């Protein structure tokens, strides 16, 4: 098992060793208010591998014409229920091992190492929750062809303001339910350049002087999340732009998070080992996790498989949002 030794660290003599670490290189500020609550992060202890929430389905023929000339029996309609199902995903932190000799050599101790590792864990845990949530909701929406607008076959293949408007139209008169856009940085900057070159009144000035493109009065979460970028080997890469409704995806920290530190003896050097565990439930609005095919504690590949998210709402207007595919 790999263990950090003194040779793995930068040993400075009369120089200063900063208490710094390499931070993550992806925007993770996307939960709750930052996304107009389209991407939610909550904490709630949930038992089992799945969380199920029953709801009454809409009755399509609840109201019909009444024949005033008839006294025949009326056919009854029944109330039915379906359920939203979130799936629990379990994660491991580390283990991380470091010899006390390595820490002493750089004039650090166990407390400092634990503090720095704790900050690393916090950032990377948030990144994992965001990436997994977007992976899930992108896969769920992808399976609904009525909510997908693929422009890669058009003459203009990069993101434009008109494409955002067309995406909203996929929701019909419920287009106002879209509260935020989530996109990779590449289509975001394509949109900025498009609005500058198009000289859209006021919008172009805002892009140049204010640094913010016109996005139809909706905030934009720009994050280079893997699920928003489809690498196509030698072909041109494509990008998924999501327009999400409120509560489109909810990530619930569903079990107590534990991080344990242990001092290991019996080796040539004393070793400090740190390891942790946590779990989260992923829920997509209008969908249930397919417990038969997707299974418990799924891999990222399973979470990103469209057919593992089953539509349970009759109308696409009640689902998580829309998807635009660009290059």
């Amino acid at each position: 098992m790999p263990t950090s030794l003194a040779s793995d660290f930068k040993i400075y003599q009369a120089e200063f060793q900063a208490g710094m670490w390499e931070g993550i290189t992806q925007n993770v500020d996307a939960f709750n208010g930052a996304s107009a609550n389209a991407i939610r992060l909550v904490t709630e202890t949930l038992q089992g591998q799945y969380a199920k929430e029953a709801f009454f389905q809409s009755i399509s023929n609840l109201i019909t014409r009444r024949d005033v000339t008839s006294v025949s029996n009326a056919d009854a309609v029944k109330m039915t229920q379906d359920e939203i199902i979130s799936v629990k995903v379990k994660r491991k932190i580390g283990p991380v091992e470091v010899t006390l000799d390595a820490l002493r050599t750089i004039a650090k101790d166990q407390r400092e190492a634990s503090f720095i590792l704790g900050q690393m864990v916090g950032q990377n845990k948030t990144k994992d929750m965001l990436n997994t949530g977007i992976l899930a909701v992108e896969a769920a929406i992808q399976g609904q062809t009525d909510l997908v607008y693929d422009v890669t076959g058009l003459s203009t293949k990069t993101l434009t303001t008109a494409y955002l408007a067309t995406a909203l139209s996929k929701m019909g008169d419920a287009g106002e339910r879209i509260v935020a856009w989530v996109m990779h940085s590449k289509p975001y900057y394509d949109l900025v350049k498009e609005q500058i070159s198009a000289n859209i009144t006021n919008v172009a000035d805002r892009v140049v002087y204010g640094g913010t493109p016109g996005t139809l009065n909706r905030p934009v979460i720009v994050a280079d999340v893997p699920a928003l970028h489809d690498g196509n080997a030698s072909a041109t890469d494509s990008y998924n732009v999501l327009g999400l409704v409120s509560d489109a995806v909810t990530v619930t920290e569903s079990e107590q998070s534990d991080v344990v530190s242990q001092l290991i003896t019996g080796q040539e050097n004393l070793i400090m080992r740190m390891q942790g565990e946590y779990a989260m439930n992923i829920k997509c609005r209008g969908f249930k996790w397919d417990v038969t095919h997707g299974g418990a504690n799924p891999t990222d590949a399973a979470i990103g498989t469209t057919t593992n998210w089953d539509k349970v709402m009759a109308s696409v207007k009640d689902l998580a949002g829309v998807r635009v595919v660009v290059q």
Side-chain angles (χ1 to χ4, degrees):
M1 180 178 292
T3 301
S4 300
L5 304 174
S7 58
D8 294 310
F9 291 144
K10 298 298 183 183
I11 310 302
Y12 294 152
Q13 306 305 326
E15 300 173 58
F16 175 72
Q17 170 118 9
M20 302 177 66
W21 61 95
E22 183 178 5
I24 62 175
T25 56
Q26 177 192 302
N27 177 25
V28 296
D29 186 16
F31 287 109
N32 302 330
S35 62
N37 286 317
I39 307 172
R40 297 182 62 230
L41 174 60
V42 299
T43 301
E44 180 184 0
T45 301
L46 299 173
Q47 295 181 348
Q49 301 293 342
Y50 312 100
K52 301 181 179 182
E53 179 183 345
F55 68 94
F56 285 101
Q57 294 178 298
S58 176
I59 303 174
S60 60
N61 57 339
L62 180 61
I63 298 177
T64 57
R65 176 182 178 273
R66 178 168 53 88
D67 186 353
V68 298
T69 66
S70 173
V71 292
S72 62
N73 294 330
D75 293 330
V77 295
K78 63 180 181 180
M79 297 177 67
T80 58
Q81 283 190 316
D82 206 329
E83 57 189 358
I84 301 289
I85 302 178
S86 69
V87 61
K88 182 174 287 185
V89 182
K90 302 199 174 188
R91 297 300 202 216
K92 175 180 65 178
I93 302 168
V96 177
E97 291 187 352
V98 55
T99 65
L100 298 191
D101 174 71
L103 294 175
R104 287 193 299 266
T105 305
I106 59 172
K108 301 295 180 183
D109 58 24
Q110 297 177 57
R111 290 176 300 174
E112 290 177 283
S114 297
F115 175 75
I116 292 174
L117 181 65
Q119 293 187 307
M120 288 183 182
V121 168
Q123 283 194 358
N124 282 276
K125 184 177 174 182
T126 303
K127 176 183 176 181
D128 175 49
M129 289 178 164
L130 176 63
N131 287 359
T132 306
I134 292 179
L135 174 66
V137 74
E138 194 281 329
I141 297 173
Q142 182 184 151
Q144 306 302 312
T145 56
D146 290 342
L147 295 175
V148 176
Y149 183 39
D150 189 340
V151 305
T152 57
L154 304 181
S155 56
T156 300
K157 305 178 188 301
T158 54
L159 186 62
T160 69
T161 310
Y163 291 163
L164 293 180
T166 302
L168 293 179
S169 72
K170 294 287 184 179
M171 295 280 282
D173 59 1
E176 286 301 314
R177 294 184 183 179
I178 302 295
V179 297
W181 302 104
V182 180
M183 64 184 74
H184 189 279
S185 59
K186 198 274 185 183
Y188 174 80
Y189 290 116
D190 286 338
L191 179 65
V192 171
K193 291 185 286 186
E194 182 264 339
Q195 293 182 349
I196 293 174
S197 62
N199 290 317
I200 302 174
T201 304
N202 295 327
V203 172
D205 292 338
R206 187 180 179 193
V207 171
V208 174
Y209 297 110
T212 305
T215 52
L216 307 181
N217 201 32
R218 291 163 175 82
V220 181
I221 303 301
V222 181
D224 291 341
V225 174
L228 300 178
H229 176 208
D230 294 328
N232 297 316
S234 60
T236 304
D237 290 357
S238 61
Y239 297 85
N240 304 308
V241 176
L242 303 179
L244 300 180
V245 304
S246 182
D247 297 331
V249 58
T250 301
V251 179
T252 302
E253 187 168 11
S254 52
E255 292 183 357
Q256 177 178 313
S257 178
D258 291 308
V259 178
V260 177
S261 177
Q262 176 187 21
L263 191 62
I264 301 173
T265 63
Q267 307 296 320
E268 185 72 15
N269 290 277
L270 291 172
I271 298 172
M272 182 177 71
R273 174 187 292 165
M274 291 164 284
Q275 184 172 346
E277 297 176 347
Y278 66 95
M280 57 184 168
N281 276 57
I282 309 297
K283 180 175 73 173
C284 296
R285 182 182 179 91
F287 295 90
K288 65 179 178 182
W289 177 254
D290 191 324
V291 299
T292 301
H293 299 100
N297 192 24
T299 63
D300 285 352
I303 294 172
T305 299
T306 294
T307 53
N308 286 335
W309 295 98
D310 299 334
K311 173 177 172 285
V312 294
M313 296 294 185
S315 172
V316 295
K317 299 176 184 179
D318 293 321
L319 300 182
V322 296
R323 172 176 176 257
V324 186
V325 185
V326 298
Q327 288 184 347

